[in-house]
Every structure is written in structure tokens, then in C-alpha cells.
């Protein structure tokens, strides 16, 4: 079971023991209502209590207030309400499109992170940043399964050891069916993102997470709990017949056998965002997963990056060869021969072809108008906000202020 120490006692074990030569990026994801933002507040306060302040990034464009200070906030560069207005979207589409717009600035974000986390030649006594905390939208699908989420995660992983913290609402996972649903979702995220993952069973002050850890490590314990749910008709079967003889029981039994290999690749901790219990265990798991990232994940990421670069190089060389062949008309031909060939080509040219080219130009004008319309919507969505609660400064000014800070 996770440590039951309070926030005060957890402060006795410095998080600095987790520090290394490069900071670790902790990306918090979780279902709506799992306590993800409160968990972010807790680990942020814990690190500040250790005098090891993290660098915090908020990627939720629709949140009104967050209980922690963000160094980079998506709301400073993307106007969520304006996105919905400009692109005629609903709340979820607005979040997804806001993330897409923000991902266009990923290069600027990485440069800022590398500058803030790297050594300062002008200030040798500058305290290093050991942790980067990333809060994501409660609509987990908009981040995990979107192209923009993948871009942001891959960009982080290309520069820093990156760990996924999957926050689970422990009281709502007490039944075997909801527990298995959470495990399947965690499994899909792990194999989609391909980064080290920690399962964080939150709200242990309400319900202890020992039962979940036992189900993950002891097949017989899960089977006993499944039989108990069957006996109590927890799956909604016909009264007196027992739902365990039906589809649900058979499915859960098969899933528990299949996920044994999946469990072996996870770290599991129980925490309470309210009391601070288990936070030391969480950072110990982060350290282990950061080491795993450097050992197992980074070489694979570098291999894939080198393959992409090699593919780009071959494509460039192929295009260059094609261009050179097109420019060359044979080393034995004379200038007069080339001129005669050009004249023959002009004589053979059908006037209708010229009309087609003019039509293409008109189509090109239409495409240009479409591009201008898209550009106008993009600029409107990323412009300064009319809402007085938001900062009027643009993203460039925000970055400038961060550099000065």
C-alpha cells in the first residue's frame, strides 16, 4: 500500500533525491472527475515545499481557473471561445482545435523549456529545474487520441525523459467491471503513446487502493472478487440465475488473464491529493520510470528519428536527381538544337491547352481565397482575448516576458 504519511511528513523526504542531469516531464492524464487537477496542485505544492519548484504547463484551454501558477498556459495564446466561434464548433471540438493551434507553436515551447531548464552562463548559481509538470484537458480523448497530443508528447520526449501519470478515481473503481474498464483504457493509452506510465490510484483518503494492487498481482484474488460480484448480481443479470454465467463474467475473466503482461510494465501507487499521502511513493516511481525511459525508450525514439531523417534525405536526393535530369537535355545537344525543340513544342501546342491553363489559374485564385479565409480564422482564434479575465498579451510577448523572468 502507498505511504500514509501526510503532506507535512512527505516533505521530510526531499524530492531532490529524484533529480538528475536533466529534468523529467510528468504528463498528468485522467478521466473527468478523477482528481487530476487537484493532484497537479498537490505535487506542485510538494515540490515547492522541497524548494525544488517545477516548471508548469497548462494544456486545458477551457478551464476557467487552475489552483496553481502556470509558466506556460495555452489560454495565453489560444482563445477557446473564439475558436468555437470562428470554426463553428462545440465544446469538445473547440478543445481539440485549440490544441491543434497550440501545437503549431511547439518549437517555441521547446526552445523556452530548454532555455529555462538548461544552465545559465551568466548565472552560475541558478537553481536547476528538475521537474516539468503538464496538466491536460479532462476530456482525455481530445489529448491522447489527437494528432496535436501526439505532437506535443513526442516533442517533449525528444528533449526530456517523459513519464505519463494516469490518474484513476479509486472509489469508482471498486467493482471488477469498472476496474477492468480502467485497466483496458490504461492499456490502450500505454500502447498508443509508447511512454513509461504510472497508474495513480487517487482519493485513497476515501477508499484504500490495496484491493486494486492485489487484483493486479494476484489472479486468484480477482477471480474471488468476480465470483462475489456474480453472487450479488452486480452485472444486472436475471434474478436468481447469476450474471456470472453470462457474457460479462466470461469477458472479465478473459481480460484479467490477458492483462497480466500489461501489469508487469506498470508502476502502481496510491495517493490522496487531499492529504498528500503517497506523494513520496509517486516521485520514487517517477524516478524509476525516468531511468526506464533513458534505458529502454530513448534508444528506440532516436532510432525512429534517425530513420525519418534518413528517409527525408533520400527523398531530397531523389527530387534533386529528378530536377537535374529535367534541366539536362543531353550533353551532345547544341543550343540551336534546344531552341528548335522549344519552337516545335510551341507549334504543337493546342490552344485549348492554354484555356485549360487559364482555368487552372482561376482555380488557383479560389484556392488562394480559401487559404486567406483559413488564415483569417487562425489569426482570430490565436488573437488576444476580449474577455477581461484573460491577459491581453500575445504569445510572442508572453515568451518575451518569460525569457526576462
Amino acid at each position: 500500500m502507498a505511504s500514509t504519511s501526510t503532506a507535512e511528513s512527505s516533505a521530510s523526504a526531499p524530492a531532490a533525491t529524484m533529480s538528475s542531469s536533466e529534468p523529467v516531464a510528468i504528463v498528468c492524464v485522467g478521466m473527468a472527475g478523477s482528481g487530476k487537477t487537484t493532484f497537479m496542485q498537490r505535487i506542485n505544492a510538494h515540490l515547492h515545499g522541497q524548494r525544488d519548484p517545477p516548471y508548469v504547463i497548462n494544456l486545458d484551454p477551457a478551464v476557467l481557473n487552475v489552483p496553481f501558477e502556470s509558466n506556460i498556459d495555452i489560454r495565453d495564446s489560444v482563445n477557446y471561445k473564439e475558436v468555437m466561434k470562428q470554426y463553428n464548433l462545440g465544446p469538445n471540438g473547440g478543445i481539440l482545435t485549440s490544441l491543434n493551434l497550440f501545437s503549431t507553436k511547439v518549437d517555441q515551447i521547446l526552445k523556452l523549456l530548454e532555455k529555462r531548464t538548461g544552465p545559465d552562463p551568466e548565472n552560475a548559481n541558478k537553481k536547476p529545474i528538475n521537474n516539468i509538470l503538464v496538466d491536460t484537458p479532462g476530456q482525455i480523448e481530445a489529448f491522447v487520441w489527437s494528432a496535436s497530443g501526439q505532437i506535443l508528447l513526442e516533442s517533449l520526449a525528444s528533449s526530456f525523459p517523459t513519464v505519463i501519470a494516469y490518474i484513476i478515481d479509486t472509489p469508482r473503481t471498486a467493482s471488477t467491471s469498472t476496474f477492468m474498464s480502467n485497466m483496458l483504457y490504461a492499456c490502450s493509452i500505454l500502447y498508443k503513446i509508447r511512454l513509461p506510465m504510472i497508474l495513480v490510484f487517487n482519493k485513497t483518503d476515501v477508499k484504500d487502493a490495496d484491493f486494486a494492487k492485489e487484483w493486479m498481482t494476484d489472479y486468484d484474488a480477482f477471480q474471488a472478487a468476480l465470483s462475489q460480484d456474480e453472487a450479488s448480481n452486480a452485472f444486472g443479470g436475471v434474478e436468481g440465475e447469476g450474471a456470472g454465467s453470462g457474457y460479462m463474467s466470461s469477458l472479465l475473466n478473459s481480460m484479467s488473464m490477458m492483462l497480466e503482461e500489461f501489469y508487469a510494465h506498470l508502476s502502481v501507487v496510491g495517493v490522496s491529493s487531499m492529504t498528500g499521502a503517497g506523494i513520496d511513493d509517486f516521485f520514487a516511481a517517477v524516478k524509476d520510470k525516468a531511468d526506464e525511459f533513458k534505458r529502454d525508450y530513448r534508444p528506440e525514439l532516436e532510432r525512429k528519428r534517425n530513420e525519418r531523417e534518413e528517409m527525408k534525405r533520400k527523398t531530397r536526393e531523389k527530387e534533386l536527381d529528378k530536377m537535374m535530369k529535367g534541366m539536362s537535355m543531353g550533353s551532345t545537344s547544341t543550343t540551336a538544337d534546344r531552341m528548335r525543340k522549344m519552337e516545335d513544342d510551341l507549334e504543337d501546342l493546342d490552344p485549348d491547352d492554354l484555356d485549360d491553363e487559364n482555368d487552372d489559374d482561376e482555380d488557383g485564385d479560389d484556392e488562394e481565397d480559401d487559404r486567406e479565409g483559413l488564415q483569417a480564422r487562425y489569426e482570430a482564434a490565436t488573437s488576444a482575448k476580449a474577455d477581461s479575465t484573460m491577459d491581453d498579451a500575445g504569445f510572442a510577448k508572453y515568451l518575451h516576458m518569460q525569457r526576462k523572468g
Side-chain angles (χ1 to χ4, degrees):
M1 168 58 191
S3 171
T4 56
S5 60
T6 62
E8 289 77 9
S9 62
S10 65
S12 62
T17 58
M18 191 192 68
S19 65
S20 60
S21 58
E22 53 185 339
V24 178
I26 304 171
V27 182
C28 296
V29 300
M31 299 287 189
S34 62
K36 177 172 56 62
T37 300
T38 309
F39 176 76
M40 274 281 298
Q41 179 190 24
R42 171 58 64 184
I43 60 177
N44 181 46
H46 176 82
L47 291 172
H48 276 281
Q50 302 302 316
R51 297 184 179 179
D52 184 21
Y55 204 81
V56 182
I57 302 175
N58 173 46
L59 294 181
D60 190 348
V63 66
L64 293 178
N65 298 292
V66 288
F68 48 82
E69 290 289 334
S70 300
N71 300 95
I72 296 178
D73 197 324
I74 187 174
R75 297 174 299 169
D76 291 320
S77 58
V78 179
N79 189 334
Y80 170 68
K81 293 182 179 179
E82 191 67 23
V83 166
M84 289 195 294
K85 176 182 175 182
Q86 291 293 330
Y87 294 91
N88 193 25
L89 299 170
N92 290 336
I95 291 174
L96 180 59
T97 304
S98 296
L99 286 168
N100 291 341
L101 294 172
F102 189 70
S103 65
T104 63
K105 305 177 185 294
V106 67
D107 290 337
Q108 301 175 49
I109 297 168
L110 284 180
K111 288 179 182 178
L112 180 58
L113 283 174
E114 289 169 356
K115 178 181 178 181
R116 299 295 290 176
T117 58
D120 188 352
E122 299 179 358
N123 185 9
N125 296 323
K126 174 186 173 184
K127 190 173 182 63
I129 293 174
N130 296 315
N131 300 278
I132 301 170
L133 306 183
V134 183
D135 193 18
T136 60
Q139 289 78 356
I140 185 172
E141 299 88 354
F143 180 78
V144 172
W145 302 105
S146 66
S148 54
Q150 184 175 357
I151 289 171
L152 292 167
L153 284 175
E154 288 183 352
S155 299
L156 269 178
S158 68
S159 300
F160 308 100
T162 304
V163 177
I164 304 298
Y166 180 57
I167 316 301
I168 299 174
D169 188 339
T170 306
R172 294 184 182 179
T173 316
S175 70
T176 53
S177 58
T178 55
F179 170 81
M180 190 56 62
S181 297
N182 263 296
M183 294 302 102
L184 289 174
Y185 205 91
C187 180
S188 65
I189 292 174
L190 177 65
Y191 291 111
K192 171 67 170 65
I193 295 178
R194 298 182 181 275
L195 290 171
M197 177 184 286
I198 302 172
L199 294 187
V200 181
F201 284 90
N202 195 15
K203 306 182 184 180
T204 55
D205 54 309
V206 178
K207 182 172 181 59
D208 199 287
D210 278 347
F211 74 94
K213 297 179 180 180
E214 184 179 21
W215 288 354
M216 296 177 68
T217 55
D218 188 342
Y219 176 79
D220 293 333
F222 182 80
Q223 292 302 309
L226 184 58
S227 299
Q228 186 175 354
D229 283 348
E230 293 171 8
S232 63
N233 203 34
F235 303 136
V238 179
E239 189 69 28
E241 294 184 5
S245 60
Y247 173 76
M248 179 61 80
S249 178
S250 176
L251 176 64
L252 294 178
N253 183 47
S254 301
M255 291 298 180
S256 64
M257 297 175 62
M258 179 194 73
L259 291 178
E260 280 191 286
E261 179 67 21
F262 166 67
Y263 295 150
H265 295 84
L266 295 176
S267 293
V268 182
V269 296
V271 304
S272 170
S273 297
M274 292 298 294
T275 66
I279 297 299
D280 286 333
D281 294 335
F282 170 74
F283 279 107
V286 169
K287 181 181 183 303
D288 291 340
K289 288 300 177 181
D291 293 338
E292 179 183 332
F293 176 92
K294 298 173 186 177
R295 182 182 66 251
D296 300 332
Y297 287 80
R298 178 168 282 170
E300 180 67 13
L301 290 172
E302 291 177 351
R303 183 186 66 80
K304 290 183 177 179
R305 184 165 56 248
N306 292 335
E307 287 180 354
R308 287 195 298 268
E309 292 298 326
E310 180 67 16
M311 187 177 298
K312 289 179 182 178
R313 185 186 65 80
K314 290 181 178 179
T315 302
R316 286 196 300 268
E317 290 180 353
K318 184 177 179 180
E319 293 298 325
L320 182 60
D321 291 341
K322 187 186 297 183
M323 181 184 68
M324 296 301 294
K325 289 178 180 178
M327 292 174 62
S328 174
M329 300 181 66
S331 58
T332 59
S333 64
T334 63
T335 302
D337 293 334
R338 290 197 294 270
M339 291 298 292
R340 281 194 295 271
K341 187 177 186 308
M342 291 173 65
E343 290 173 357
D344 293 340
D345 291 340
L346 287 173
E347 290 176 358
D348 295 338
L349 187 62
D350 192 335
D352 292 337
D353 294 337
L354 295 177
D355 293 337
D356 292 339
E357 291 180 3
N358 292 333
D359 293 340
D360 292 340
D361 292 339
E362 292 176 1
D363 294 340
D365 293 339
D366 293 338
E367 292 176 0
E368 183 65 26
D369 292 339
D370 291 341
R371 284 195 294 271
E372 290 177 359
L374 288 171
Q375 181 66 21
R377 289 198 295 272
Y378 174 82
E379 291 174 356
T382 56
S383 63
K385 302 165 184 57
D387 190 346
S388 60
T389 60
M390 300 299 181
D391 187 5
D392 290 334
F395 191 80
K397 181 178 178 182
Y398 180 78
L399 291 181
H400 179 68
M401 293 171 63
Q402 289 294 321
R403 293 191 185 100
K404 289 179 65 177

